[in-house]
Amino acid sequence: MKKKPRLLYEFPWMLCLWLALGSCGQTKQETQKQLVLEDDLGREVTLNGQPERVMALAPSMTEMLFAVLDSSAIVGRTQNDDYPAAALTKPVVNNYPMDYEQLLRLKPDLVFTVEGITPPDVAERLKELGIPVYYQKYASVEDIFRGLEDIGRIMDREEQATLLTDSLRREVAQIAARHRQEEPPLRVLGLAGYDPIYVYGSSTVISDKLRILGAENAADETFDALTREFILKSNPDVLLGGTPQELERNFFSIYPELRKIKAYQNQRLYAPDFDLMSRPSPRVVESIRELEKFLYP
Amino acid sequence: MSRAVSFIIALLLILVVLVLGLQVGSFESDLGTIANAFLHYDAANTTHFAIVHLRLPRLLLALVVGASLALSGYLMQAMVNNGLADPYLLGTASGASLGAIIVFFGFVPVTVLGLYMPPVFALLGAFAVTLVVVALGYRKRQLIPSQLLLAGIAISSLGTAMVGLLTFLSDSESKLRTVIFWSMGSFERASWGMLPYPATALLLALLLFVYYQKQLNILLLGEERAQALGVPVAQTRWVILATVSVVTGFAVATSGPIGFVGLIIPHVTRGLMGTTGQANLLFCAFVGGLFMLLCDLLSRLIYPPAGLPIGIITSFFGVPFFVYLLIRKNYAFKG
């Protein structure tokens, strides 16, 4: 039999000793610096101390950061981020496909993102590269406000965040008070794509915005392309997704059968600002106000 | 089983699946509702409207597209004398896809023909690619079937790469979604206005090839023998190519590229009916249509309301059936 090489034989012992010795020195240093957070997905996010340089990997998240933080703390933006104007001055990191090298160059202490925008494997890879990723997720308007406060706590800007969310909550409460008695509630369908037909499903923030306005989402939960028959059956009072001219050209001309729905018959077709509609950001109140104008002209 | 009985069974099955298909959708509807929708159509009743204007054209489009693809596969296999040929292998379908996708991505202004742009460009693409493949298939004024197949595979790959490039370069999420959804195949956009084009192409092709059936059968025996027997081989070939381009172009343009049917259904019908005979071509179209109807019904039953993409269903349910036939019938494609 071949003799085992000496080094390999002794290696496990050496490793244990090395780890034991090494950990003595390190634990002390790290307990001073390391921060362990839990994000909205229940993931553990370990930071080497109070983060100072951050960025976001989603347009809505960049808006969140700019609302709470000093512009100087934000080190970059993705190619799609266009609000607020100050974001445009930041260096661009392509997030699809992820430009790891550029992100490393900007050296953020922490990266914020939204569930569904950054795939888990990208977050894992970033963690390996020493950049922790913090996920938020939102199912309601209130979740967005809590997300802002969350950022405030992590970044030591709690006061700024609370001032902002207090005023946003007050505005939402005022709007909601105006629509408590809407009977029967308007049934609204929000189009996210014409061909195939995609709509904003019931678990999205849009349903909550409509609830605040005394209306309801006409769509069930769905992430699939919808059939014309499904839309015909849901028969919404209001259709969001484009001006009457746009919808005529790009939607009803493809699906002339859908001209039977109430929203078309009564010409209640509206074009909300797509970014306001789809981004869960501090501008959500602006979005609710826009929808209010459409629903109760 | 006699030919007549096979035809009657296929026809009855088509009717049964049509009636079943008319009952599936977001609006609940039983046989009584369906009968009412046709006999006492009430324009104000949305269930009636859905049955007559959404479900029926959808089912008929599935029937026509299935028959078109099966017919194209049958013709291609006869023409190149090879059981591997189908509108996909010879690049016709990828040419049609490329044509339609160029329109979807907005590389040509859609104002000229509006909604008819994707079909028109699909036709042009199918024609252009088929011409190139056939030109590459010739050596010393002779069409070499193996060379034609290889050229088809190569040009198809180029077509796929070009579709990939367009997809990669596209900056619009909604256009991407349209193309991805379209490329998996769907009958969801079917309407009475759309149906006449592929249906007319299919009918004309069927009539043409009932007339050409004799030449086609002799062509199956080999080019030299056909020539010796007085079949105008070159002319027959052009008729086949032109027909396959038109029929496949319309099928792809209205429903997206749906693989598998053109390759397998001709083998299935040969397995059921034998390899020669006048009625084969028609029977092949019938079985293709029936198969597609069944797949559409299954897709909507499994995954309501939208239905699974039809290309997935055709392969998942068609392949086991084909393998079963292959093992049980022990037949060979005789060229």
Side-chain angles (χ1 to χ4, degrees):
Chain A
M1 207 174 95
K2 226 174 164 183
K3 204 181 157 194
K4 270 184 192 168
R6 208 180 119 96
L7 187 64
L8 199 65
Y9 190 61
E10 287 178 353
F11 182 71
W13 290 107
M14 281 167 60
L15 187 70
C16 288
L17 187 68
W18 179 69
L19 278 177
L21 285 173
S23 60
C24 291
Q26 269 179 353
T27 349
K28 221 175 190 179
Q29 275 181 353
E30 282 175 6
T31 40
Q32 285 174 347
K33 291 205 304 185
Q34 275 201 345
L35 275 169
V36 180
L37 311 168
E38 190 184 314
D39 70 7
D40 285 3
L41 303 188
R43 297 162 65 254
E44 220 167 69
V45 183
T46 312
L47 302 177
N48 293 324
Q50 174 70 49
E52 280 162 11
R53 300 169 57 79
V54 293
M55 72 167 285
L57 292 180
S60 63
M61 200 74 228
T62 296
E63 293 190 22
M64 300 281 273
L65 295 187
F66 272 94
V68 178
L69 306 182
D70 264 349
S71 177
S72 59
I74 301 163
V75 296
R77 65 169 176 118
T78 76
Q79 72 278 18
N80 299 319
D81 302 1
D82 52 8
Y83 189 91
L88 295 171
T89 62
K90 301 288 177 185
V92 175
V93 179
N94 211 72
N95 72 343
Y96 187 79
M98 188 71 224
D99 184 351
Y100 293 104
E101 210 165 298
Q102 168 74 343
L103 194 63
L104 277 175
R105 220 168 64 82
L106 297 174
K107 292 198 204 90
D109 304 321
L110 176 63
V111 157
F112 285 94
T113 192
V114 183
E115 186 204 18
I117 302 281
T118 305
D121 59 314
V122 170
E124 267 319 295
R125 182 83 188 101
L126 285 172
K127 192 177 153 194
E128 282 167 21
L129 295 173
I131 301 172
V133 178
Y134 190 94
Y135 280 94
Q136 289 197 337
K137 68 171 182 183
Y138 326 97
S140 66
V141 174
E142 180 55 32
D143 284 347
I144 299 174
F145 299 154
R146 274 202 289 265
L148 286 166
E149 289 163 348
D150 198 23
I151 295 169
R153 256 192 310 279
I154 295 169
M155 298 301 295
D156 202 17
R157 302 271 292 178
E158 267 184 281
E159 202 176 323
Q160 169 86 1
T162 316
L163 271 175
L164 175 67
T165 51
D166 281 354
S167 94
L168 290 174
R169 281 196 182 99
R170 251 197 317 277
E171 282 188 75
V172 169
Q174 280 167 3
I175 298 171
R178 290 202 280 273
H179 302 288
R180 232 160 247 152
Q181 309 297 327
E182 305 295 349
E183 260 328 312
L186 281 174
R187 298 180 66 255
V188 182
L189 198 65
L191 287 176
Y194 298 146
D195 179 19
I197 307 171
Y198 281 105
V199 299
Y200 293 100
S202 60
S203 72
T204 55
V205 176
I206 283 134
S207 295
D208 198 40
K209 293 187 212 172
L210 293 172
R211 182 193 56 78
I212 290 165
L213 291 166
E216 63 186 28
N217 193 341
D220 291 340
E221 191 43 76
T222 174
F223 303 105
D224 302 315
L226 287 182
T227 59
R228 292 167 292 172
E229 197 171 324
F230 183 91
I231 310 262
L232 211 55
K233 192 177 179 206
S234 76
N235 198 15
D237 301 297
V238 174
L239 193 64
L240 304 172
T243 61
Q245 296 79 7
E246 277 167 354
L247 286 172
E248 192 64 59
R249 201 170 51 239
N250 302 323
F251 188 71
F252 291 108
S253 69
I254 307 180
Y255 316 105
E257 304 81 7
L258 294 184
R259 294 198 174 109
K260 281 184 94 77
I261 61 172
K262 274 190 270 179
Y264 182 85
Q265 301 279 324
N266 303 324
Q267 281 295 299
R268 300 213 55 187
L269 313 168
Y270 305 101
D273 181 314
F274 184 76
D275 288 344
L276 282 187
M277 184 85 166
S278 60
R279 289 184 191 177
S281 79
R283 290 195 286 165
V284 64
V285 177
E286 220 176 294
S287 170
I288 297 173
R289 270 198 239 107
E290 186 190 45
L291 291 178
E292 186 183 27
K293 262 189 252 152
F294 293 147
L295 301 189
Y296 311 105
Chain B
M1 198 173 2
S2 88
R3 299 241 148 98
V5 175
S6 306
F7 264 101
I8 291 171
I9 291 179
L11 203 61
L12 280 178
L13 281 175
I14 288 177
L15 280 176
V16 169
V17 182
L18 267 176
V19 173
L20 287 176
L22 281 175
Q23 295 180 61
V24 181
S26 296
F27 291 99
E28 277 177 30
S29 35
D30 51 20
L31 283 176
T33 325
I34 290 164
N36 260 329
F38 289 106
L39 299 173
H40 313 283
Y41 179 72
D42 173 8
N45 184 328
T46 33
T47 309
H48 286 189
F49 183 83
I51 290 169
V52 174
H53 291 280
L54 300 178
R55 291 184 201 171
L56 189 57
R58 177 194 178 112
L59 292 166
L60 293 180
L61 185 68
L63 190 68
V64 166
V65 167
S68 299
L69 293 175
L71 176 75
S72 299
Y74 186 95
L75 291 174
M76 285 283 198
Q77 291 176 8
M79 184 183 85
V80 301
N81 215 340
N82 188 317
L84 282 180
D86 82 334
Y88 285 82
L89 215 56
L90 292 193
T92 313
S94 97
S97 295
L98 192 60
I101 281 174
I102 285 173
V103 180
F104 285 139
F105 276 129
F107 288 100
V108 284
V110 282
T111 43
V112 199
L113 294 160
L115 278 178
Y116 297 109
M117 283 297 274
V120 168
F121 268 72
L123 276 184
L124 292 177
F127 253 129
V129 170
T130 312
L131 271 181
V132 172
V133 170
V134 171
L136 289 173
Y138 271 95
R139 182 177 292 165
K140 292 182 189 154
R141 295 176 158 221
Q142 269 247 312
L143 191 66
I144 317 286
S146 59
Q147 193 167 327
L148 185 78
L149 279 182
L150 285 176
I153 293 169
I155 300 292
S156 275
S157 306
L158 187 65
T160 310
M162 280 166 79
V163 170
L165 179 71
L166 291 181
T167 313
F168 181 75
L169 292 179
S170 161
D171 56 354
S172 157
E173 223 175 284
S174 66
K175 281 180 188 167
L176 264 183
R177 269 204 300 246
T178 303
V179 169
I180 290 170
F181 190 76
W182 179 84
S183 67
M184 293 192 288
S186 164
F187 300 118
E188 176 50 28
R189 271 175 69 168
S191 66
W192 286 116
M194 175 195 280
L195 199 57
Y197 303 97
T200 311
L202 174 69
L203 268 182
L204 290 178
L206 281 174
L207 286 177
L208 188 70
F209 280 96
V210 166
Y211 172 75
Y212 264 100
Q213 180 82 54
K214 265 199 193 113
Q215 280 97 313
L216 214 61
N217 283 338
I218 298 173
L219 207 59
L220 272 171
L221 299 171
E223 190 172 327
E224 279 173 3
R225 208 180 297 180
Q227 198 94 46
L229 287 169
V231 172
V233 173
Q235 186 204 344
T236 312
R237 238 180 220 136
W238 280 112
V239 173
I240 292 177
L241 279 175
T243 312
V244 167
S245 299
V246 170
V247 168
T248 308
F250 272 118
V252 172
T254 48
S255 317
I258 299 166
F260 180 78
V261 183
L263 179 66
I264 304 297
I265 297 298
H267 290 273
V268 171
T269 50
R270 274 193 291 267
L272 292 170
M273 267 223 171
T275 51
T276 52
Q278 297 279 337
N280 261 355
L281 186 92
L282 268 179
F283 188 62
C284 180
F286 268 61
V287 174
L290 171 64
F291 176 69
M292 197 64 101
L293 267 182
L294 266 174
C295 287
D296 181 56
L297 181 65
L298 269 178
S299 95
R300 286 184 296 145
L301 285 175
I302 293 171
Y303 201 71
L308 276 176
I310 202 75
I312 296 174
I313 296 281
T314 53
S315 299
F316 262 122
F317 291 92
V319 172
F321 179 62
F322 176 64
V323 170
Y324 166 76
L325 270 187
L326 213 59
I327 295 167
R328 234 200 94 204
K329 295 286 278 196
N330 191 27
Y331 92 102
F333 175 74
K334 295 192 183 64

